[in-house]
């Protein structure tokens, strides 16, 4: 069984920074793209940033220039460095990964449990 575990959320003042981590663990598996999503209260889940296994990145327009996604393939871990945080960044942030378990030839989307980020004004 593969699990994604997020950490690094918390409360920060506007203009501050936080770094989220997402570590994949479990039995033998492969990971392709990894991504961060967020779901503000009463809104749909939205893509924040995505990184492929080769390091290509995409960002939501609202976070470009402020957030940076990266990954350490050896550690099966993705990071989201968030700077110049705004109150509207307040949300639960979810890690997502395209995973191929050792017992399958197919890729499956896996999700973490989410971590709360609160930005005070």
């Amino acid at each position: 069984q593969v699990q994604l575990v997020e950490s690094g959320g918390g409360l920060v003042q506007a203009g501050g920074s936080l770094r989220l981590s997402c570590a994949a663990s479990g039995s033998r598996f492969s990971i392709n793209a990894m991504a961060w999503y967020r779901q503000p209260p009463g809104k749909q889940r939205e893509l924040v940033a995505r990184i492929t296994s080769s390091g290509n990145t995409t960002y939501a327009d609202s976070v470009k220039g402020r957030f940076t996604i990266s990954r350490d393939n050896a550690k099966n871990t993705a990071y989201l460095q968030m700077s110049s945080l705004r109150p509207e960044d307040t949300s639960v942030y979810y890690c997502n990964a395209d995973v191929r378990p050792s017992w399958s030839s197919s890729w499956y989307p896996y999700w973490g449990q989410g971590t709360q980020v609160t930005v005070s004004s």
Side-chain angles (χ1 to χ4, degrees):
Q1 186 76 343
V2 180
Q3 287 186 319
L4 300 181
V5 179
E6 301 114 330
S7 60
L11 173 63
V12 64
Q13 288 189 332
S17 299
L18 280 176
R19 188 193 195 207
L20 305 182
S21 299
C22 170
S25 64
S27 55
R28 291 166 52 190
F29 57 91
S30 300
I31 297 180
N32 195 357
M34 301 185 76
W36 290 95
Y37 286 73
R38 66 187 181 187
Q39 187 166 16
K43 296 185 178 181
Q44 288 189 330
R45 192 172 296 188
E46 60 182 12
L47 176 67
V48 175
R50 183 177 183 270
I51 185 167
T52 67
S53 57
S54 58
N56 293 318
T57 59
T58 56
Y59 296 92
D61 288 342
S62 59
V63 306
K64 282 181 181 177
R66 300 188 299 122
F67 291 10
T68 301
I69 189 170
S70 61
R71 65 189 288 172
D72 185 333
N73 290 332
K75 296 181 179 180
N76 291 318
T77 300
Y79 306 96
L80 186 68
Q81 178 67 47
M82 304 183 293
S83 303
S84 301
L85 283 162
R86 305 167 180 169
E88 54 264 39
D89 295 318
T90 294
S91 185
V92 179
Y93 285 71
Y94 296 91
C95 177
N96 165 267
D98 293 331
V99 178
R100 185 179 65 193
S102 59
W103 47 263
S104 175
S105 60
S106 299
W107 295 88
Y108 300 92
Y110 278 69
W111 293 89
Q113 80 286 356
T115 185
Q116 177 69 46
V117 171
T118 302
V119 184
S120 62
S121 57

